[in-house]
Amino acid sequence: MDSPAIPRAYLCRRFTPAVEAAIHDRYDLRLNEDDSILEAGQIIANARGAQVLFVSATETISAEVLRALSPTLKYVATLSVGYDHIDMAAARALGIRILHTPDVLSHACAEIAIMLMLNACRRGYEADRMVRSGQWPGWGPTQLLGRGLTGRRLVIFGMGRIGREIAARARPFGLEIHYHNRTRLSPEHESGAVFHGTLDEAVKVADILMIAAPGSPEIKGAINASRIALLPENAVVVNISRGDLVVDDALIAALVSRRVFAAGLDVFANEPEIDQRYRTLDNVFLTPHIGSATHETRDAMGWLLINGLDDVRHGRTPSNLLA
Ligand code: DGY
């Protein structure tokens, strides 16, 4: 009797060794050996014949890609919680199921959010550079004065799983937590945070504005010049979500004029080709989209995809199935 065929899979990026080994065990796997970021045409050519496509947020999985790989392609598994890089409507129309990696990365992303917030408020980039460059003249009473956290208001735009982990870590700093979401959280999830029904109302009280909302076309450009004008003087802006939620011209103008004290940015429009002006500003702390970048988190993300795919192939519905 023939044994059931092993499903074919294509891996667009190199995952952690443990995760790749587990994928190898289950699939007839081809992979993008050199871990380069693939264009649509390359994905289509390389993944032809695959039933499962493993991607990350660096691959744009457009309707064109999905149509070209359909009907063989059955599943797209993305090593990301965000899925704004995937045309979900096209996937639904073609019957292609999508899996992502919620929850397991929330702690790691919240840690980076706190790191960016502290470095922006306390001038981490300038301080590091002063010591590293040998330009430190010695301790000074007015040297590198920053913005303290205690008693200030942290507004979290997007109080989902990651936003709530940020809030939990921010409270011990003495920050007052506020948030804006489309819908108000239950009292249990709110944990005393102050809800604002509109983004404008939330921004007006933000000593620190933390952008943690999932990327989506509806909120693209939400942090624009008029919202930045609503921020209190000397506010700090942190973005761990998606770069296109912020209008770069508006944020950069506010950073240059010091209307905004500082920013901490882990994500950018058009990564990795970031707006070059950010590189010239002292009052910005920059990291290269490393929110979920810990060994244990990337392993957990990979396992969530593998286990989810095992589930759907056996008729079960995993919690990380999107469509
Ligand atoms: C995510 O998981 O969405 C992160 O931004 C990495 O892409």
Side-chain angles (χ1 to χ4, degrees), residues 7-12 23 26-30 47-55 69 72-78 96-97 99 305-306 309-310 312-313:
R8 292 176 77 176
Y10 185 74
L11 186 57
C12 287
I23 297 174
R26 289 163 171 76
Y27 298 96
D28 172 5
L29 183 67
R30 280 170 301 147
R48 206 172 284 291
Q51 283 125 288
V52 180
L53 182 64
F54 288 96
V55 305
L69 297 175
T72 314
L73 185 68
K74 302 286 179 247
Y75 307 105
V76 175
T78 183
I96 296 171
R97 328 283 315 262
L99 292 96
L305 296 178
I306 293 167
L309 286 164
D310 286 351
V312 275
R313 283 172 43 220

Side-chain angles (χ1 to χ4, degrees), residues 281 289 294:
L281 295 172
H289 203 147
T294 69

